[in-house]
């Protein structure tokens, strides 16, 4: 029998049972009915009838067979929030309950491509899995842990999945720590299973409150010749930490990961880091395994840091002039009257630039460079502005404009070099040599300037640069020699410009350095062939017996064996023609393909090319300030902070690599096509 004039009930009382998410309540005259939204069966909907019969129907409803109804009904027993009732927050509750949206039916197509299949774990809701997915989401995107206590988040989750029990902040933190321990185990196995060595970068971070943190990141080239990096530790340094204790912190982290014997190079983000710190670490590591090439390539300082350092010197020297230019730009942009008057002067003096005057962001030196460059284009207008506008008081002298032109040109070079570092698709150690040499050549020219101001500034900058160059020039040169497009030729090209008459001697030092390093790898290879390498490593162990009188035997064996060979890998590589230069060249792919041809040299290339010559992330490449941790994470306890930062890095690499992030394996639900 048809029900005439059925109308949705305007309920004065909220329906609290979750069962009503699956029934529509309607009224015929004075009788209430509950219509199942899945099979359209009509049952009693009177408040006196209760909901037991509705639950029983859901359990028998054939259309609900793919869902876990027992968990659905158990959700009614969830704990209520002790401060805010979510049900009372929904401003459009009546409309939501009366206009029930049926679940979308997902149909399984066996011919569909794997990456196009809509996947869910199963038709059954899984509270535990959802809790871990929530924790992974918080880690992956850097959300704050207290977000689970936010009213808006609770309302969103309730409307999205009423079955999900909101877990408190402390529980989410525990889930995050469990995920960290699991992911750390994966990273540990992966790093310790590498055949080559790893490189470690050491960066200092700071909180808004001035707390210092030590971030240790492993850099390496994996078995597929892909450049990888993994944050290993994020250590909070308390007030008792001093510089001389920094080495102990680093050594402890290395030993916790069991990679102290696999370390090839150590890169510090600060060129002024005390050499004693590096020496203590080097001595500790050498006790278990000698450093290759006597550790000549062990101590590396960040190229981006030395660039930022000399930029700071240039901006500090030009500080008063920069202040005048900044004030000049602000004056022109202070009102439409001032802007209109400046535009008229610009036309009168014949300036046709289409660039707009900008005010820099003091925290980013690339924006200061752009401000100076733009102001220089309007130099003629600024020079006569005071004659037409008496309120303008920041005019520059001709000498100051010349200084600005000179320094802006140099800053532009450094901007381009920094962009080359941060924007390279394959940021191996080989890309840095030509860029750093260009900086070196420019500094040499600057030091010859007849202007006392520019010359004194250049000498100060070059003094800092020379300290960096003395530590890193060999590592930079060896890395670029391992680029088949350049080999020794690029070293010869730049050294002739840098050293002049002394270039041959300096080139020989580089040649001797790479040969010595190659000889060390050759000895390693010989010992691997004899089965004396450590498990999972292509590098040899050393005898710990202090009375061992055959320590030089391995070197003797290699040297006497070499006389029987026509040429070594290195000699063969250097004698062959250079590979043609092109923009899309992938050096790692080249070495992957040519590993069978240069088996020993490729071992060396893997370690050298994986050395981080710069430690500054792309987003902070032009930042004058250091790396600053956000306030949300700076308030966490040290263990949780380290876990969230490390795990976020690991999970983001999975996303980048296209790996699945789900806490459990997932599969599509095959649902039959309805006729």
């Amino acid at each position: 029998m048809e029900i005439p004039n059925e109308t949705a009930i305007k309920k004065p009382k909220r329906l609290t049972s979750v069962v009503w998410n699956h029934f529509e309540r309607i009224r015929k005259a004075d009788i209430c009915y509950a219509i199942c939204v899945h099979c359209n069966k009509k049952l009693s909907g009177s408040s006196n009838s209760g909901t037991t019969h509705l639950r029983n129907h859901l359990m028998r409803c054939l259309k609900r067979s793919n869902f876990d109804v027992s968990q659905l009904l158990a959700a009614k027993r969830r704990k209520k929030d002790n401060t805010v009732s979510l049900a009372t927050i929904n401003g459009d509750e009546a409309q939501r309950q009366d206009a029930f949206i049926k679940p979308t039916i997902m149909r399984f197509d066996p011919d569909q491509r794997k990456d196009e299949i809509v996947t869910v774990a199963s038709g059954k809701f899984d509270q535990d899995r959802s809790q871990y997915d929530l924790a992974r989401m918080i880690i992956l995107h850097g959300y704050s842990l207290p977000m689970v206590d936010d009213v808006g988040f609770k309302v969103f989750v309730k409307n999205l999945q009423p079955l999900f029990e909101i877990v408190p902040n402390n529980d989410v933190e525990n889930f995050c720590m469990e995920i960290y321990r699991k992911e750390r185990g994966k990273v540990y196995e992966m790093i310790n299973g590498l055949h080559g060595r790893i490189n470690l970068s050491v960066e200092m971070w700071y909180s808004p409150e001035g707390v210092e943190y030590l971030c240790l990141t492993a850099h390496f080239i994996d078995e597929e010749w892909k450049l990888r990096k993994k944050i290993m530790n994020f250590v909070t340094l308390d007030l008792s930490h001093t510089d001389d204790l920094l080495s102990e912190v680093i050594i402890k982290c290395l030993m916790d990961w069991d990679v102290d014997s696999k370390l090839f190079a150590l890169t510090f983000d600060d060129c002024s880091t005390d050499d004693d710190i590096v020496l203590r670490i080097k001595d500790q590591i050498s006790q278990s395994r000698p450093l290759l090439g006597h550790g000549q390539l062990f101590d590396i300082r960040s190229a981006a840091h030395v660039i930022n350092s000399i930029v700071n010197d240039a901006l500090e020297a030009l500080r008063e002039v920069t202040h005048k230019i900044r004030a000049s730009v602000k004056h022109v942009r202070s009102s439409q009257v001032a802007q209109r008057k400046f535009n008229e002067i610009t036309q009168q003096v014949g300036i046709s630039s289409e660039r707009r005057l900008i005010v820099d962001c003091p925290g980013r030196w690339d924006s200061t460079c752009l401000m100076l460059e733009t102001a220089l284009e309007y130099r003629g207008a600024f020079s006569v502005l005071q004659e037409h506008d008496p309120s303008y008081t920041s005019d520059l002298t001709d000498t100051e404009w010349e200084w600005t032109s000179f320094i802006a040109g140099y800053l532009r070079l450094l901007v381009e070099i920094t962009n080359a570092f941060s924007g390279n698709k394959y940021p191996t150690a080989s890309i840095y040599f030509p860029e750093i040499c260009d900086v070196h050549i420019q500094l040499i020219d600057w030091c010859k300037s007849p202007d006392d101001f520019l010359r004194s500034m250049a000498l100060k900058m070059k003094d800092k640069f020379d300290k960096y160059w003395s530590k890193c020039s060999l590592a930079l040169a060896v890395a670029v020699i391992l680029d088949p497009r350049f080999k020794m030729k690029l070293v010869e090209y730049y050294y002739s410009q840098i050293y002049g008459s002394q270039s041959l001697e300096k080139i020989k030092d580089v040649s001797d350095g790479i040969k010595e390093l190659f000889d060390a790898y050759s000895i390693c290879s010989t010992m691997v062939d004899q089965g004396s390498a450590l498990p999972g490593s292509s590098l040899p162990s050393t005898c710990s017996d202090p009375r061992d009188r055959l320590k030089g035997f391995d070197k003797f064996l290699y040297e006497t064996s070499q006389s029987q060979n026509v040429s070594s890998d290195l000699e063969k590589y250097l004698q062959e023609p250079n590979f043609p230069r092109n923009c899309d060249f992938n050096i790692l792919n080249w070495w992957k393909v040519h590993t069978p041809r240069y088996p020993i040299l490729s071992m060396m290339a893997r370690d050298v090319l994986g050395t981080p010559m710069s430690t500054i992330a792309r987003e902070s490449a032009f930042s004058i300030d250091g790396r600053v941790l956000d306030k949300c994470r700076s308030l966490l306890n040290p263990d949780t902070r380290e876990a969230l930062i490390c795990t976020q890095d690991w999970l983001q690499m999975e996303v980048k690599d296209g790996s699945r992030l789900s806490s459990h394996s997932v599969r599509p639900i095959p649902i039959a096509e309805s006729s």
Side-chain angles (χ1 to χ4, degrees):
M1 178 178 178
E2 297 291 326
I3 302 174
N5 301 323
E6 292 181 353
T7 57
I9 297 176
K10 304 296 184 182
K11 298 177 288 297
K13 180 180 179 181
R14 182 173 63 86
L15 302 176
T16 59
S17 174
V18 295
V19 170
W20 287 108
N21 290 333
H22 305 273
F23 289 89
E24 182 180 3
R25 200 179 193 194
I26 62 175
R27 181 191 300 275
K28 175 192 172 185
D30 294 331
I31 302 176
C32 294
Y33 295 94
I35 307 297
C36 177
V37 299
H38 305 290
C39 67
N40 293 323
K41 184 177 179 66
K42 183 169 63 176
L43 303 170
S44 173
S46 171
S47 59
N48 295 329
S49 300
T51 57
T52 301
H53 66 299
L54 301 181
R55 294 176 189 161
N56 292 336
H57 169 76
L58 282 179
M59 300 295 291
R60 296 189 300 268
C61 183
L62 296 178
K63 293 292 181 71
R64 293 286 296 164
S65 60
N66 286 333
F67 294 83
D68 188 348
V69 181
S70 61
Q71 289 193 36
L72 171 75
L73 301 179
K76 184 176 184 295
R77 298 188 293 272
R78 290 178 299 176
K79 295 179 181 179
K80 295 183 179 180
D81 188 276
N82 57 5
T83 56
V84 181
S85 175
L86 297 179
T88 63
I89 299 173
N90 193 341
D92 197 16
E93 179 186 2
Q95 181 179 352
R96 179 183 65 80
Q97 292 184 350
D98 292 340
F100 184 87
I101 300 175
K102 291 187 178 182
T104 302
I105 302 297
M106 293 183 293
R107 309 192 185 282
F108 175 62
D109 181 1
D111 297 327
Q112 193 172 19
R113 289 206 332 239
K114 181 177 180 181
D115 58 351
E116 293 179 345
I117 294 176
V118 179
T119 58
V120 293
S122 73
K124 300 179 180 180
F125 170 71
D126 190 330
Q127 172 72 18
D128 291 338
R129 171 177 176 169
S130 298
Q131 290 172 344
Y132 282 99
D133 286 344
L134 171 61
R136 282 176 176 265
M137 179 193 73
I138 290 174
I139 294 172
L140 180 63
H141 300 291
Y143 298 144
S144 64
L145 291 175
M147 71 172 288
V148 297
D149 296 329
D150 293 342
V151 173
F153 177 76
K154 292 181 178 180
V155 172
F156 170 74
V157 172
K158 175 182 178 293
N159 291 332
L160 185 67
Q161 175 51 273
L163 306 180
F164 182 66
E165 286 191 45
I166 299 292
V167 290
N169 184 355
N170 292 339
D171 288 350
V172 174
E173 183 175 343
N174 292 333
F175 294 142
C176 290
M177 295 300 295
E178 187 173 339
I179 293 172
Y180 163 71
R181 287 188 288 269
K182 180 180 178 180
E183 295 298 326
R184 188 186 187 279
K186 295 179 183 178
V187 175
Y188 177 91
E189 291 181 2
M190 185 265 296
I191 289 181
N192 282 275
L194 293 172
H195 289 287
R197 297 202 177 204
I198 68 166
N199 301 279
L200 192 72
S201 64
V202 182
E203 300 176 81
M204 295 299 298
W205 285 58
Y206 305 90
S207 74
E209 296 76 26
V211 179
E212 294 184 339
Y213 310 98
L214 187 69
C215 182
L216 302 180
T217 306
H219 303 255
F220 55 91
I221 295 174
D222 65 15
E223 308 309 316
E224 296 299 319
W225 285 89
K226 301 292 184 183
L227 186 63
R228 305 291 188 186
K229 66 176 183 177
K230 301 283 185 182
I231 294 179
M232 300 173 66
N233 294 92
F234 196 87
V235 183
T236 303
L237 302 177
D238 56 40
L239 297 178
S240 64
H241 273 99
T242 55
D243 288 345
D244 58 338
L245 295 178
L246 194 61
S247 58
E248 297 181 13
V249 176
I250 296 173
I251 292 171
K252 181 181 183 302
C253 292
L254 290 172
M255 291 185 170
D256 287 345
W257 284 88
D258 292 330
V259 294
D260 52 307
S261 61
K262 294 176 70 72
L263 192 60
F264 177 78
L266 192 65
T267 303
F268 284 90
D269 64 344
D270 191 342
C271 292
S272 60
T273 300
D274 192 347
D275 291 342
D276 290 339
I277 295 176
V278 180
L279 185 60
R280 283 192 288 269
I281 298 173
K282 185 184 294 188
D283 290 343
Q284 178 67 35
I285 293 175
S286 299
Q287 293 178 13
S288 58
R289 177 172 297 171
L291 295 171
L292 294 174
H294 303 294
Q296 294 184 80
L297 276 63
F298 181 79
D299 184 8
I300 305 296
R301 305 301 165 97
S302 173
H305 181 273
V306 73
I307 288 178
N308 279 344
S309 181
I310 61 179
V311 164
N312 285 338
D313 287 341
L315 293 179
E316 178 60 27
L318 200 67
R319 182 168 51 86
E320 294 183 5
V321 177
T322 303
H323 177 74
K324 285 185 177 182
I325 292 177
R326 189 179 295 117
S328 299
V329 175
K330 288 182 178 180
H331 175 83
V332 171
R333 298 181 57 181
S334 62
S335 67
Q336 292 192 5
V337 175
Q339 182 72 65
R340 187 162 48 248
K341 184 177 296 184
F342 185 77
N343 291 341
E344 292 174 357
I345 297 173
T346 298
Q347 294 178 358
Q348 292 174 8
V349 298
I351 297 175
S352 58
S353 176
E354 296 181 357
R355 299 173 71 178
R356 293 185 57 189
L357 291 170
I358 64 166
V359 178
D360 66 331
C361 174
R364 290 185 59 89
W365 60 266
D366 58 330
S367 69
T368 303
C369 173
L370 185 59
M371 180 186 72
L372 299 180
E373 289 177 331
T374 308
L376 283 166
E377 294 188 13
Y378 292 92
R379 172 181 175 177
F382 279 119
S383 298
V384 298
L385 179 59
Q386 191 174 32
E387 300 175 9
H388 300 80
D389 185 355
S391 62
Y392 173 63
T393 59
S394 302
D395 56 314
L396 280 70
T397 65
D398 289 341
T399 300
E400 289 174 332
W401 280 115
E402 291 301 321
W403 292 346
T404 303
S405 177
F406 201 86
I407 294 178
Y410 194 66
L411 290 179
R412 173 50 51 190
L413 170 66
L414 299 181
V415 167
E416 293 171 355
I417 289 175
T418 303
N419 282 329
F421 291 165
S422 59
N424 195 289
K425 292 194 298 184
Y426 313 110
T428 57
S430 57
I431 70 172
Y432 293 88
F433 179 80
E435 309 293 350
I436 294 298
C437 285
D438 285 336
V439 174
H440 198 171
I441 293 170
Q442 290 296 322
L443 281 173
I444 292 172
D445 290 341
W446 263 31
C447 292
K448 300 175 183 177
S449 173
D451 187 291
D452 292 339
F453 170 78
L454 296 176
R455 186 172 62 255
S456 62
M457 178 184 63
L459 289 171
K460 180 180 179 182
M461 295 162 64
K462 192 172 184 303
D463 182 59
K464 287 185 177 180
F465 181 87
D466 286 344
K467 293 178 181 178
Y468 165 81
W469 182 257
S470 65
K471 289 183 177 296
C472 303
S473 59
L474 180 60
L476 292 167
V478 169
V480 83
I481 291 171
L482 293 173
D483 188 325
R485 299 170 298 171
F486 304 124
K487 302 185 180 180
M488 284 295 299
K489 291 299 181 183
L490 195 64
V491 175
E492 295 169 1
Y493 170 76
Y494 274 111
Y495 273 29
S496 63
Q497 300 178 62
I498 294 172
Y499 293 111
S501 60
Q502 298 179 338
S503 60
L504 292 178
E505 180 182 347
K506 297 296 183 180
I507 292 171
K508 185 178 184 304
D509 290 341
V510 172
S511 179
D512 292 343
I514 192 171
K515 288 178 181 178
E516 182 179 359
L517 183 62
F518 176 78
D519 288 346
Y521 274 88
S522 298
I523 296 173
C524 290
S525 178
T526 301
M527 297 185 68
V528 169
D529 293 339
Q530 296 176 348
S532 58
L534 292 176
S537 172
S538 61
L539 302 171
S541 60
T542 55
C543 180
S544 58
D545 186 355
R547 297 178 299 170
D548 181 16
R549 294 184 175 84
L550 297 177
K551 291 182 178 180
F553 173 71
D554 297 320
K555 184 176 181 181
F556 169 78
L557 178 63
Y558 164 71
E559 291 174 345
T560 55
S561 300
Q562 276 296 99
S563 61
Q564 304 172 9
N565 298 329
V566 176
S567 61
S568 67
D569 278 5
L570 179 60
E571 292 170 338
K572 183 166 54 178
Y573 169 78
L574 294 176
Q575 289 170 2
E576 292 177 348
N578 288 23
F579 192 82
R581 287 202 309 127
N582 62 74
C583 297
D584 296 326
F585 177 72
N586 185 333
I587 187 173
L588 297 181
N589 278 348
W590 190 93
W591 276 106
K592 180 180 180 180
V593 171
H594 289 80
T595 293
R597 182 168 179 78
Y598 310 109
I600 299 176
L601 189 61
S602 63
M603 290 168 49
M604 187 174 85
R606 189 196 300 271
D607 296 341
V608 172
L609 295 177
T611 304
M613 293 295 179
S614 178
T615 60
I616 295 182
R618 183 173 186 174
E619 62 272 12
S620 57
F622 298 101
S623 176
I624 294 176
D625 302 322
R627 300 290 296 273
V628 179
L629 193 67
D630 61 86
K631 186 175 182 180
C632 176
R633 291 194 171 180
S634 66
L635 296 176
L636 298 171
N637 71 67
D639 291 339
T640 303
R641 182 188 304 115
E642 180 177 46
L644 292 179
I645 291 175
C646 291
T647 313
Q648 180 186 36
D649 175 73
W650 304 335
L651 295 184
Q652 285 179 343
M653 288 300 104
E654 290 185 16
V655 172
K656 184 178 179 181
D657 295 340
S659 302
R660 193 182 297 278
L661 282 177
S662 178
S663 54
H664 302 277
S665 60
V666 297
R667 54 186 175 84
I669 303 176
I671 300 180
E673 186 84 30
S674 62
S675 56

